Amino acid sequence: GAVVSQHPSRVICKSGTSVKIECRSLDFQATTMFWYRQFPKQSLMLMATSNEGSKATYEQGVEKDKFLINHASLTLSTLTVTSAHPEDSSFYICSGGDAEETQYFGPGTRLLVL
Amino acid sequence: DAKTTQPTSMDCAEGRAANLPCNHSTISGNEYVYWYRQIHSQGPQYIIHGLKNNETNEMASLIITEDRKSSTLILPHATLRDTAVYYCIVRGGSEKLVFGKGTKLTVNP
């Protein structure tokens, strides 16, 4: 299957700082990527749909000014958590689709905000 | 909301077949059935998907009933590394994936 990478795999930051998470499709081009968040013992919750060359589409209840998404190329999407707070601590996962639209997921980024 | 219903948990003996059921009684004609699994602290892994015919790949088999209202994922020879949460997802075309709670499969030695 297609490969998606994320960087960093885990990050610890102080409250009030911003954190950038990168999502890359390594062997395919993704015009659309998706960003999810997963809290402990819960399922994945879709945050936003990232579209190459255009603005992201956010799910209801997700603050677009807090979670900035940039899809600069067909292989790279970034999620920036601005002014992070402890409640933003979570497991962030991205996914991208191949030509047949099957979605492949990255390994996830664990964010801890102190 | 997820369009599927799965048992919360299942157990399976190592080396035996694991059969994971999924109900999707409101599935539309153009919607596929996708299966993913998530091993603890990792991103979901794609397993298999199908529309109406049964499908098989190197990981698993997918059996879809004729009326398409339910399906079963079969892991023919479960190993300890197959312990994970398995998600059955109904999705049309390029729609976003909506995850339910999935089935926590525990493979016992």
Side-chain angles (χ1 to χ4, degrees):
Chain A
V3 180
V4 176
S5 70
Q6 281 185 242
H7 178 79
S9 58
R10 57 178 60 231
V11 56
I12 301 173
C13 70
K14 293 181 178 180
S15 185
T17 61
S18 295
V19 175
K20 179 186 284 188
I21 302 170
E22 292 186 350
C23 176
R24 294 182 184 272
S25 57
L26 299 186
D27 52 2
F28 68 98
Q29 294 184 329
T31 54
T32 303
M33 288 183 171
F34 298 89
W35 285 96
Y36 295 80
R37 179 167 54 180
Q38 185 175 33
F39 293 107
K41 299 186 185 300
Q42 295 186 22
S43 188
L44 282 77
M45 294 295 295
L46 180 66
M47 298 176 65
T49 301
S50 168
N51 301 299
E52 188 266 337
S54 64
K55 292 183 179 180
T57 303
Y58 291 81
E59 295 298 302
Q60 191 172 10
V62 178
E63 300 176 56
K64 63 179 181 180
D65 295 330
K66 181 168 183 61
F67 299 99
L68 301 180
I69 291 174
N70 186 315
H71 196 147
S73 74
L74 290 173
T75 59
L76 174 64
S77 176
T78 60
L79 168 68
T80 301
V81 183
T82 63
S83 187
H85 291 285
E87 57 265 31
D88 298 323
S89 298
S90 189
F91 191 48
Y92 292 85
I93 310 167
C94 69
S95 72
D98 63 6
E100 296 179 352
E101 299 295 340
T102 296
Q103 289 291 310
Y104 296 93
F105 287 80
T109 296
R110 191 161 299 282
L111 170 64
L112 176 61
V113 184
L114 302 177
Chain B
D1 291 340
K3 301 178 183 178
T4 62
T5 304
Q6 298 177 252
T8 302
S9 63
M10 293 183 65
D11 283 87
C12 175
E14 188 178 19
R16 305 296 295 267
N19 298 293
L20 291 89
C22 179
N23 287 322
H24 31 79
S25 58
T26 60
I27 191 170
S28 300
N30 66 339
E31 291 180 319
Y32 287 76
V33 179
Y34 281 82
W35 282 84
Y36 287 82
R37 72 180 182 184
Q38 187 177 26
I39 296 170
H40 184 62
S41 296
Q42 297 182 24
Q45 178 187 23
Y46 166 76
I47 302 174
I48 198 168
H49 74 284
L51 183 63
K52 56 181 180 180
N53 297 323
N54 297 337
E55 302 287 343
T56 295
N57 62 21
E58 65 277 5
M59 289 184 68
S61 294
L62 174 60
I63 308 298
I64 302 174
T65 58
E66 193 168 341
D67 63 7
R68 303 213 317 129
K69 293 185 177 182
S70 65
S71 60
T72 301
L73 179 74
I74 301 173
L75 307 179
H77 306 285
T79 70
L80 298 179
R81 287 177 294 182
D82 292 322
T83 292
V85 178
Y86 287 76
Y87 295 98
C88 169
I89 302 170
V90 165
R91 173 180 181 239
S94 59
E95 292 176 356
K96 52 195 177 186
L97 290 170
V98 177
F99 284 78
K101 297 183 185 300
T103 296
K104 180 173 172 53
L105 174 69
T106 302
V107 180
N108 300 304

Tab-separated table of all heavy atoms in Angstrom, chain A residues 52-112:
chain	number	residue	atom	x	y	z
A	52	GLU	N	-5.066	20.579	-1.763
A	52	GLU	CA	-3.872	21.167	-2.352
A	52	GLU	C	-4.216	22.440	-3.108
A	52	GLU	O	-5.096	22.438	-3.971
A	52	GLU	CB	-3.199	20.157	-3.284
A	52	GLU	CG	-1.840	20.595	-3.808
A	52	GLU	CD	-1.923	21.291	-5.149
A	52	GLU	OE1	-2.903	21.066	-5.876
A	52	GLU	OE2	-1.000	22.057	-5.469
A	53	GLY	N	-3.558	23.509	-2.737
A	53	GLY	CA	-3.731	24.780	-3.432
A	53	GLY	C	-4.961	25.574	-3.040
A	53	GLY	O	-5.232	26.625	-3.635
A	54	SER	N	-5.701	25.105	-2.072
A	54	SER	CA	-6.879	25.862	-1.641
A	54	SER	C	-7.056	25.748	-0.130
A	54	SER	O	-6.306	25.041	0.538
A	54	SER	CB	-8.130	25.364	-2.362
A	54	SER	OG	-8.412	24.031	-2.007
A	55	LYS	N	-8.057	26.442	0.377
A	55	LYS	CA	-8.272	26.454	1.826
A	55	LYS	C	-8.811	25.117	2.313
A	55	LYS	O	-9.545	24.427	1.614
A	55	LYS	CB	-9.256	27.565	2.189
A	55	LYS	CG	-8.718	28.966	1.975
A	55	LYS	CD	-9.742	30.008	2.429
A	55	LYS	CE	-9.184	31.414	2.245
A	55	LYS	NZ	-10.164	32.447	2.693
A	56	ALA	N	-8.458	24.811	3.539
A	56	ALA	CA	-8.943	23.575	4.141
A	56	ALA	C	-10.416	23.709	4.525
A	56	ALA	O	-10.916	24.811	4.742
A	56	ALA	CB	-8.107	23.239	5.372
A	57	THR	N	-11.077	22.590	4.596
A	57	THR	CA	-12.473	22.533	5.056
A	57	THR	C	-12.492	21.923	6.443
A	57	THR	O	-12.039	20.792	6.628
A	57	THR	CB	-13.319	21.666	4.108
A	57	THR	OG1	-13.213	22.195	2.788
A	57	THR	CG2	-14.772	21.664	4.551
A	58	TYR	N	-13.012	22.678	7.410
A	58	TYR	CA	-12.974	22.241	8.802
A	58	TYR	C	-14.303	21.621	9.219
A	58	TYR	O	-15.376	22.053	8.783
A	58	TYR	CB	-12.644	23.416	9.717
A	58	TYR	CG	-11.229	23.913	9.561
A	58	TYR	CD1	-10.879	24.771	8.521
A	58	TYR	CD2	-10.240	23.498	10.440
A	58	TYR	CE1	-9.569	25.207	8.364
A	58	TYR	CE2	-8.936	23.931	10.303
A	58	TYR	CZ	-8.602	24.784	9.264
A	58	TYR	OH	-7.310	25.209	9.114
A	59	GLU	N	-14.224	20.628	10.091
A	59	GLU	CA	-15.426	20.023	10.645
A	59	GLU	C	-16.030	20.952	11.696
A	59	GLU	O	-15.349	21.828	12.256
A	59	GLU	CB	-15.098	18.674	11.273
A	59	GLU	CG	-14.629	17.640	10.265
A	59	GLU	CD	-15.674	17.316	9.211
A	59	GLU	OE1	-16.794	16.889	9.582
A	59	GLU	OE2	-15.374	17.504	8.007
A	60	GLN	N	-17.288	20.750	11.934
A	60	GLN	CA	-17.987	21.582	12.909
A	60	GLN	C	-17.327	21.467	14.272
A	60	GLN	O	-17.031	20.364	14.737
A	60	GLN	CB	-19.457	21.138	13.003
A	60	GLN	CG	-20.339	22.084	13.788
A	60	GLN	CD	-21.809	21.694	13.683
A	60	GLN	OE1	-22.139	20.630	13.175
A	60	GLN	NE2	-22.674	22.546	14.168
A	61	GLY	N	-17.104	22.608	14.888
A	61	GLY	CA	-16.509	22.635	16.219
A	61	GLY	C	-14.998	22.720	16.230
A	61	GLY	O	-14.403	22.866	17.302
A	62	VAL	N	-14.365	22.655	15.073
A	62	VAL	CA	-12.906	22.760	14.997
A	62	VAL	C	-12.542	24.186	14.608
A	62	VAL	O	-12.988	24.688	13.573
A	62	VAL	CB	-12.327	21.766	13.967
A	62	VAL	CG1	-10.815	21.923	13.867
A	62	VAL	CG2	-12.698	20.339	14.345
A	63	GLU	N	-11.732	24.839	15.434
A	63	GLU	CA	-11.387	26.241	15.190
A	63	GLU	C	-10.319	26.361	14.110
A	63	GLU	O	-9.179	25.936	14.293
A	63	GLU	CB	-10.858	26.870	16.485
A	63	GLU	CG	-11.839	26.844	17.649
A	63	GLU	CD	-11.186	27.388	18.905
A	63	GLU	OE1	-10.696	28.533	18.857
A	63	GLU	OE2	-11.156	26.667	19.931
A	64	LYS	N	-10.676	26.992	13.011
A	64	LYS	CA	-9.743	27.100	11.898
A	64	LYS	C	-8.569	28.023	12.220
A	64	LYS	O	-7.486	27.870	11.646
A	64	LYS	CB	-10.458	27.586	10.642
A	64	LYS	CG	-11.054	28.969	10.757
A	64	LYS	CD	-11.727	29.365	9.447
A	64	LYS	CE	-12.298	30.774	9.547
A	64	LYS	NZ	-12.958	31.178	8.270
A	65	ASP	N	-8.758	28.991	13.101
A	65	ASP	CA	-7.668	29.892	13.456
A	65	ASP	C	-6.700	29.265	14.452
A	65	ASP	O	-5.593	29.759	14.645
A	65	ASP	CB	-8.229	31.191	14.035
A	65	ASP	CG	-9.016	31.970	13.011
A	65	ASP	OD1	-8.684	31.864	11.810
A	65	ASP	OD2	-9.965	32.666	13.397
A	66	LYS	N	-7.139	28.211	15.090
A	66	LYS	CA	-6.276	27.529	16.043
A	66	LYS	C	-5.501	26.391	15.368
A	66	LYS	O	-4.349	26.128	15.680
A	66	LYS	CB	-7.098	26.958	17.188
A	66	LYS	CG	-6.248	26.244	18.231
A	66	LYS	CD	-7.041	25.944	19.462
A	66	LYS	CE	-6.144	25.303	20.506
A	66	LYS	NZ	-5.037	26.198	20.914
A	67	PHE	N	-6.152	25.726	14.461
A	67	PHE	CA	-5.531	24.604	13.752
A	67	PHE	C	-5.347	25.018	12.290
A	67	PHE	O	-6.237	24.841	11.461
A	67	PHE	CB	-6.396	23.352	13.872
A	67	PHE	CG	-6.596	22.879	15.282
A	67	PHE	CD1	-7.763	23.182	15.976
A	67	PHE	CD2	-5.613	22.149	15.927
A	67	PHE	CE1	-7.946	22.755	17.288
A	67	PHE	CE2	-5.784	21.709	17.237
A	67	PHE	CZ	-6.957	22.025	17.922
A	68	LEU	N	-4.169	25.567	12.005
A	68	LEU	CA	-3.884	26.068	10.669
A	68	LEU	C	-3.385	24.938	9.786
A	68	LEU	O	-2.460	24.219	10.146
A	68	LEU	CB	-2.830	27.178	10.740
A	68	LEU	CG	-3.184	28.393	11.601
A	68	LEU	CD1	-2.047	29.399	11.586
A	68	LEU	CD2	-4.474	29.037	11.143
A	69	ILE	N	-4.005	24.825	8.613
A	69	ILE	CA	-3.629	23.755	7.689
A	69	ILE	C	-3.145	24.370	6.392
A	69	ILE	O	-3.797	25.251	5.827
A	69	ILE	CB	-4.812	22.806	7.440
A	69	ILE	CG1	-5.110	22.014	8.717
A	69	ILE	CG2	-4.512	21.863	6.278
A	69	ILE	CD1	-6.352	21.166	8.629
A	70	ASN	N	-1.998	23.876	5.934
A	70	ASN	CA	-1.427	24.318	4.666
A	70	ASN	C	-1.120	23.098	3.824
A	70	ASN	O	-0.412	22.196	4.265
A	70	ASN	CB	-0.155	25.127	4.917
A	70	ASN	CG	0.389	25.735	3.639
A	70	ASN	OD1	0.460	25.083	2.612
A	70	ASN	ND2	0.769	26.986	3.698
A	71	HIS	N	-1.658	23.074	2.618
A	71	HIS	CA	-1.415	21.941	1.710
A	71	HIS	C	-0.644	22.495	0.515
A	71	HIS	O	-1.219	22.776	-0.530
A	71	HIS	CB	-2.750	21.335	1.292
A	71	HIS	CG	-2.648	19.981	0.693
A	71	HIS	ND1	-3.644	19.028	0.853
A	71	HIS	CD2	-1.698	19.400	-0.055
A	71	HIS	CE1	-3.292	17.929	0.221
A	71	HIS	NE2	-2.121	18.125	-0.330
A	72	ALA	N	0.659	22.678	0.708
A	72	ALA	CA	1.468	23.429	-0.237
A	72	ALA	C	1.776	22.671	-1.523
A	72	ALA	O	2.006	23.279	-2.566
A	72	ALA	CB	2.784	23.829	0.436
A	73	SER	N	1.788	21.356	-1.459
A	73	SER	CA	2.110	20.569	-2.647
A	73	SER	C	1.297	19.275	-2.616
A	73	SER	O	0.581	19.007	-1.656
A	73	SER	CB	3.598	20.240	-2.692
A	73	SER	OG	3.915	19.245	-1.735
A	74	LEU	N	1.446	18.499	-3.665
A	74	LEU	CA	0.678	17.254	-3.755
A	74	LEU	C	1.206	16.170	-2.822
A	74	LEU	O	0.625	15.091	-2.743
A	74	LEU	CB	0.682	16.746	-5.198
A	74	LEU	CG	-0.128	17.577	-6.180
A	74	LEU	CD1	0.079	17.080	-7.606
A	74	LEU	CD2	-1.609	17.532	-5.834
A	75	THR	N	2.308	16.447	-2.139
A	75	THR	CA	2.870	15.441	-1.246
A	75	THR	C	3.057	15.944	0.178
A	75	THR	O	3.567	15.221	1.030
A	75	THR	CB	4.239	14.940	-1.764
A	75	THR	OG1	5.124	16.057	-1.865
A	75	THR	CG2	4.093	14.263	-3.117
A	76	LEU	N	2.649	17.166	0.471
A	76	LEU	CA	2.891	17.725	1.801
A	76	LEU	C	1.715	18.542	2.298
A	76	LEU	O	1.226	19.454	1.620
A	76	LEU	CB	4.147	18.606	1.789
A	76	LEU	CG	4.437	19.382	3.087
A	76	LEU	CD1	4.717	18.426	4.237
A	76	LEU	CD2	5.608	20.347	2.864
A	77	SER	N	1.263	18.208	3.493
A	77	SER	CA	0.272	18.999	4.208
A	77	SER	C	0.800	19.225	5.619
A	77	SER	O	1.406	18.323	6.202
A	77	SER	CB	-1.077	18.287	4.261
A	77	SER	OG	-2.017	19.028	5.040
A	78	THR	N	0.593	20.419	6.146
A	78	THR	CA	1.040	20.703	7.499
A	78	THR	C	-0.116	21.178	8.358
A	78	THR	O	-1.038	21.861	7.878
A	78	THR	CB	2.143	21.778	7.527
A	78	THR	OG1	1.626	22.982	6.963
A	78	THR	CG2	3.369	21.326	6.753
A	79	LEU	N	-0.067	20.779	9.623
A	79	LEU	CA	-1.042	21.212	10.627
A	79	LEU	C	-0.270	21.959	11.699
A	79	LEU	O	0.678	21.411	12.272
A	79	LEU	CB	-1.757	20.009	11.236
A	79	LEU	CG	-2.606	20.273	12.491
A	79	LEU	CD1	-3.820	21.121	12.139
A	79	LEU	CD2	-3.049	18.957	13.127
A	80	THR	N	-0.648	23.206	11.934
A	80	THR	CA	-0.022	23.990	12.995
A	80	THR	C	-1.029	24.232	14.095
A	80	THR	O	-2.099	24.811	13.840
A	80	THR	CB	0.509	25.329	12.458
A	80	THR	OG1	1.459	25.084	11.416
A	80	THR	CG2	1.182	26.119	13.573
A	81	VAL	N	-0.691	23.768	15.285
A	81	VAL	CA	-1.524	24.023	16.452
A	81	VAL	C	-1.007	25.308	17.078
A	81	VAL	O	0.120	25.350	17.591
A	81	VAL	CB	-1.449	22.859	17.462
A	81	VAL	CG1	-2.385	23.125	18.645
A	81	VAL	CG2	-1.787	21.531	16.790
A	82	THR	N	-1.782	26.365	16.989
A	82	THR	CA	-1.337	27.661	17.481
A	82	THR	C	-1.748	27.861	18.934
A	82	THR	O	-2.803	27.384	19.369
A	82	THR	CB	-1.923	28.796	16.634
A	82	THR	OG1	-3.347	28.772	16.754
A	82	THR	CG2	-1.539	28.645	15.173
A	83	SER	N	-0.890	28.555	19.679
A	83	SER	CA	-1.156	28.834	21.082
A	83	SER	C	-1.696	27.587	21.785
A	83	SER	O	-2.825	27.580	22.309
A	83	SER	CB	-2.152	29.992	21.206
A	83	SER	OG	-2.308	30.382	22.554
A	84	ALA	N	-0.899	26.560	21.762
A	84	ALA	CA	-1.353	25.263	22.287
A	84	ALA	C	-1.624	25.323	23.786
A	84	ALA	O	-0.936	26.024	24.533
A	84	ALA	CB	-0.306	24.203	21.989
A	85	HIS	N	-2.633	24.598	24.205
A	85	HIS	CA	-2.987	24.479	25.614
A	85	HIS	C	-3.037	23.008	26.000
A	85	HIS	O	-3.141	22.137	25.119
A	85	HIS	CB	-4.328	25.163	25.879
A	85	HIS	CG	-4.270	26.654	25.748
A	85	HIS	ND1	-3.697	27.456	26.705
A	85	HIS	CD2	-4.682	27.473	24.755
A	85	HIS	CE1	-3.771	28.714	26.331
A	85	HIS	NE2	-4.361	28.754	25.146
A	86	PRO	N	-2.993	22.696	27.274
A	86	PRO	CA	-3.000	21.280	27.681
A	86	PRO	C	-4.150	20.466	27.091
A	86	PRO	O	-3.963	19.278	26.792
A	86	PRO	CB	-3.097	21.376	29.206
A	86	PRO	CG	-2.394	22.654	29.538
A	86	PRO	CD	-2.758	23.596	28.406
A	87	GLU	N	-5.298	21.081	26.889
A	87	GLU	CA	-6.427	20.335	26.314
A	87	GLU	C	-6.227	19.974	24.848
A	87	GLU	O	-7.008	19.182	24.285
A	87	GLU	CB	-7.740	21.119	26.480
A	87	GLU	CG	-7.726	22.496	25.873
A	87	GLU	CD	-7.358	23.577	26.877
A	87	GLU	OE1	-6.575	23.294	27.810
A	87	GLU	OE2	-7.862	24.705	26.712
A	88	ASP	N	-5.197	20.558	24.214
A	88	ASP	CA	-4.865	20.188	22.830
A	88	ASP	C	-3.983	18.946	22.776
A	88	ASP	O	-3.702	18.424	21.689
A	88	ASP	CB	-4.139	21.341	22.123
A	88	ASP	CG	-4.997	22.584	22.027
A	88	ASP	OD1	-6.226	22.437	21.822
A	88	ASP	OD2	-4.454	23.696	22.173
A	89	SER	N	-3.538	18.486	23.927
A	89	SER	CA	-2.732	17.266	23.977
A	89	SER	C	-3.554	16.116	23.410
A	89	SER	O	-4.671	15.846	23.868
A	89	SER	CB	-2.326	16.947	25.417
A	89	SER	OG	-1.528	17.988	25.952
A	90	SER	N	-3.007	15.443	22.415
A	90	SER	CA	-3.760	14.400	21.729
A	90	SER	C	-2.845	13.681	20.746
A	90	SER	O	-1.663	13.994	20.623
A	90	SER	CB	-4.946	15.020	20.981
A	90	SER	OG	-5.814	14.022	20.473
A	91	PHE	N	-3.409	12.724	20.058
A	91	PHE	CA	-2.729	11.973	18.997
A	91	PHE	C	-3.282	12.488	17.685
A	91	PHE	O	-4.477	12.365	17.415
A	91	PHE	CB	-3.008	10.475	19.192
A	91	PHE	CG	-2.172	9.558	18.356
A	91	PHE	CD1	-0.799	9.719	18.272
A	91	PHE	CD2	-2.752	8.495	17.676
A	91	PHE	CE1	-0.017	8.863	17.519
A	91	PHE	CE2	-1.975	7.616	16.919
A	91	PHE	CZ	-0.612	7.804	16.840
A	92	TYR	N	-2.428	13.108	16.866
A	92	TYR	CA	-2.864	13.707	15.608
A	92	TYR	C	-2.409	12.803	14.456
A	92	TYR	O	-1.237	12.428	14.367
A	92	TYR	CB	-2.290	15.111	15.442
A	92	TYR	CG	-2.876	16.094	16.429
A	92	TYR	CD1	-2.345	16.232	17.711
A	92	TYR	CD2	-3.996	16.868	16.093
A	92	TYR	CE1	-2.893	17.111	18.625
A	92	TYR	CE2	-4.553	17.751	17.004
A	92	TYR	CZ	-4.003	17.863	18.265
A	92	TYR	OH	-4.564	18.737	19.175
A	93	ILE	N	-3.348	12.491	13.580
A	93	ILE	CA	-3.085	11.545	12.499
A	93	ILE	C	-3.552	12.145	11.182
A	93	ILE	O	-4.630	12.740	11.125
A	93	ILE	CB	-3.825	10.217	12.723
A	93	ILE	CG1	-3.577	9.679	14.139
A	93	ILE	CG2	-3.406	9.172	11.688
A	93	ILE	CD1	-4.510	8.553	14.525
A	94	CYS	N	-2.756	11.974	10.142
A	94	CYS	CA	-3.161	12.442	8.820
A	94	CYS	C	-3.368	11.246	7.896
A	94	CYS	O	-2.892	10.131	8.180
A	94	CYS	CB	-2.138	13.385	8.224
A	94	CYS	SG	-0.586	12.585	7.773
A	95	SER	N	-4.089	11.495	6.822
A	95	SER	CA	-4.260	10.447	5.816
A	95	SER	C	-4.288	11.083	4.442
A	95	SER	O	-4.617	12.261	4.285
A	95	SER	CB	-5.544	9.649	6.044
A	95	SER	OG	-6.680	10.417	5.710
A	96	GLY	N	-3.914	10.282	3.441
A	96	GLY	CA	-3.954	10.747	2.064
A	96	GLY	C	-4.468	9.627	1.190
A	96	GLY	O	-4.384	8.444	1.552
A	97	GLY	N	-5.015	10.011	0.024
A	97	GLY	CA	-5.596	9.019	-0.857
A	97	GLY	C	-4.776	8.798	-2.100
A	97	GLY	O	-4.107	9.699	-2.579
A	98	ASP	N	-4.847	7.581	-2.635
A	98	ASP	CA	-4.194	7.311	-3.909
A	98	ASP	C	-5.211	7.537	-5.028
A	98	ASP	O	-6.300	8.027	-4.803
A	98	ASP	CB	-3.612	5.901	-3.934
A	98	ASP	CG	-4.681	4.823	-3.821
A	98	ASP	OD1	-5.888	5.142	-3.831
A	98	ASP	OD2	-4.308	3.644	-3.724
A	99	ALA	N	-4.823	7.164	-6.234
A	99	ALA	CA	-5.678	7.441	-7.377
A	99	ALA	C	-7.025	6.740	-7.283
A	99	ALA	O	-8.005	7.198	-7.843
A	99	ALA	CB	-4.964	7.038	-8.665
A	100	GLU	N	-7.067	5.633	-6.540
A	100	GLU	CA	-8.325	4.903	-6.391
A	100	GLU	C	-9.072	5.338	-5.150
A	100	GLU	O	-10.039	4.710	-4.760
A	100	GLU	CB	-8.056	3.403	-6.336
A	100	GLU	CG	-7.451	2.864	-7.625
A	100	GLU	CD	-7.184	1.377	-7.525
A	100	GLU	OE1	-7.324	0.812	-6.432
A	100	GLU	OE2	-6.828	0.785	-8.552
A	101	GLU	N	-8.591	6.387	-4.503
A	101	GLU	CA	-9.250	7.008	-3.357
A	101	GLU	C	-9.174	6.211	-2.067
A	101	GLU	O	-9.808	6.566	-1.094
A	101	GLU	CB	-10.707	7.344	-3.676
A	101	GLU	CG	-10.887	8.314	-4.821
A	101	GLU	CD	-10.318	9.684	-4.505
A	101	GLU	OE1	-10.139	10.008	-3.309
A	101	GLU	OE2	-10.025	10.423	-5.453
A	102	THR	N	-8.461	5.105	-2.032
A	102	THR	CA	-8.232	4.445	-0.752
A	102	THR	C	-7.361	5.356	0.107
A	102	THR	O	-6.364	5.890	-0.360
A	102	THR	CB	-7.541	3.092	-0.944
A	102	THR	OG1	-8.412	2.231	-1.679
A	102	THR	CG2	-7.214	2.453	0.391
A	103	GLN	N	-7.751	5.565	1.348
A	103	GLN	CA	-7.009	6.437	2.252
A	103	GLN	C	-5.960	5.639	3.025
A	103	GLN	O	-6.250	4.580	3.580
A	103	GLN	CB	-7.966	7.098	3.233
A	103	GLN	CG	-8.873	8.149	2.603
A	103	GLN	CD	-8.111	9.377	2.175
A	103	GLN	OE1	-7.339	9.936	2.935
A	103	GLN	NE2	-8.325	9.800	0.941
A	104	TYR	N	-4.739	6.198	3.058
A	104	TYR	CA	-3.653	5.592	3.819
A	104	TYR	C	-3.237	6.572	4.903
A	104	TYR	O	-3.164	7.775	4.676
A	104	TYR	CB	-2.476	5.250	2.905
A	104	TYR	CG	-2.834	4.213	1.870
A	104	TYR	CD1	-3.278	4.585	0.606
A	104	TYR	CD2	-2.774	2.858	2.171
A	104	TYR	CE1	-3.630	3.642	-0.337
A	104	TYR	CE2	-3.127	1.896	1.235
A	104	TYR	CZ	-3.560	2.286	-0.024
A	104	TYR	OH	-3.916	1.348	-0.943
A	105	PHE	N	-2.962	6.036	6.078
A	105	PHE	CA	-2.737	6.868	7.246
A	105	PHE	C	-1.260	6.943	7.620
A	105	PHE	O	-0.498	5.994	7.431
A	105	PHE	CB	-3.528	6.324	8.436
A	105	PHE	CG	-5.000	6.572	8.321
A	105	PHE	CD1	-5.795	5.746	7.533
A	105	PHE	CD2	-5.592	7.638	8.980
A	105	PHE	CE1	-7.159	5.990	7.405
A	105	PHE	CE2	-6.957	7.879	8.864
A	105	PHE	CZ	-7.732	7.061	8.070
A	106	GLY	N	-0.902	8.097	8.178
A	106	GLY	CA	0.423	8.244	8.744
A	106	GLY	C	0.497	7.561	10.099
A	106	GLY	O	-0.518	7.118	10.634
A	107	PRO	N	1.694	7.504	10.675
A	107	PRO	CA	1.888	6.818	11.957
A	107	PRO	C	1.411	7.624	13.155
A	107	PRO	O	1.345	7.093	14.262
A	107	PRO	CB	3.400	6.624	12.011
A	107	PRO	CG	3.949	7.729	11.175
A	107	PRO	CD	2.946	7.952	10.083
A	108	GLY	N	1.060	8.885	12.927
A	108	GLY	CA	0.549	9.702	14.026
A	108	GLY	C	1.624	10.529	14.719
A	108	GLY	O	2.813	10.192	14.690
A	109	THR	N	1.184	11.618	15.333
A	109	THR	CA	2.052	12.498	16.123
A	109	THR	C	1.422	12.691	17.486
A	109	THR	O	0.280	13.140	17.574
A	109	THR	CB	2.222	13.867	15.443
A	109	THR	OG1	2.889	13.702	14.190
A	109	THR	CG2	3.025	14.806	16.336
A	110	ARG	N	2.166	12.337	18.508
A	110	ARG	CA	1.633	12.509	19.864
A	110	ARG	C	2.087	13.847	20.412
A	110	ARG	O	3.284	14.101	20.538
A	110	ARG	CB	2.106	11.379	20.776
A	110	ARG	CG	1.353	11.363	22.114
A	110	ARG	CD	1.456	10.026	22.808
A	110	ARG	NE	0.898	8.925	22.040
A	110	ARG	CZ	-0.394	8.642	21.920
A	110	ARG	NH1	-1.290	9.407	22.515
A	110	ARG	NH2	-0.793	7.601	21.211
A	111	LEU	N	1.137	14.699	20.715
A	111	LEU	CA	1.414	16.042	21.222
A	111	LEU	C	1.074	16.109	22.699
A	111	LEU	O	-0.033	15.742	23.099
A	111	LEU	CB	0.602	17.091	20.455
A	111	LEU	CG	0.610	18.513	21.024
A	111	LEU	CD1	2.012	19.114	20.973
A	111	LEU	CD2	-0.376	19.404	20.274
A	112	LEU	N	2.030	16.583	23.476
A	112	LEU	CA	1.803	16.818	24.904
A	112	LEU	C	2.105	18.292	25.185
A	112	LEU	O	3.215	18.767	24.937
A	112	LEU	CB	2.701	15.917	25.750
A	112	LEU	CG	2.619	16.132	27.271
A	112	LEU	CD1	1.211	15.865	27.779
A	112	LEU	CD2	3.628	15.248	28.004
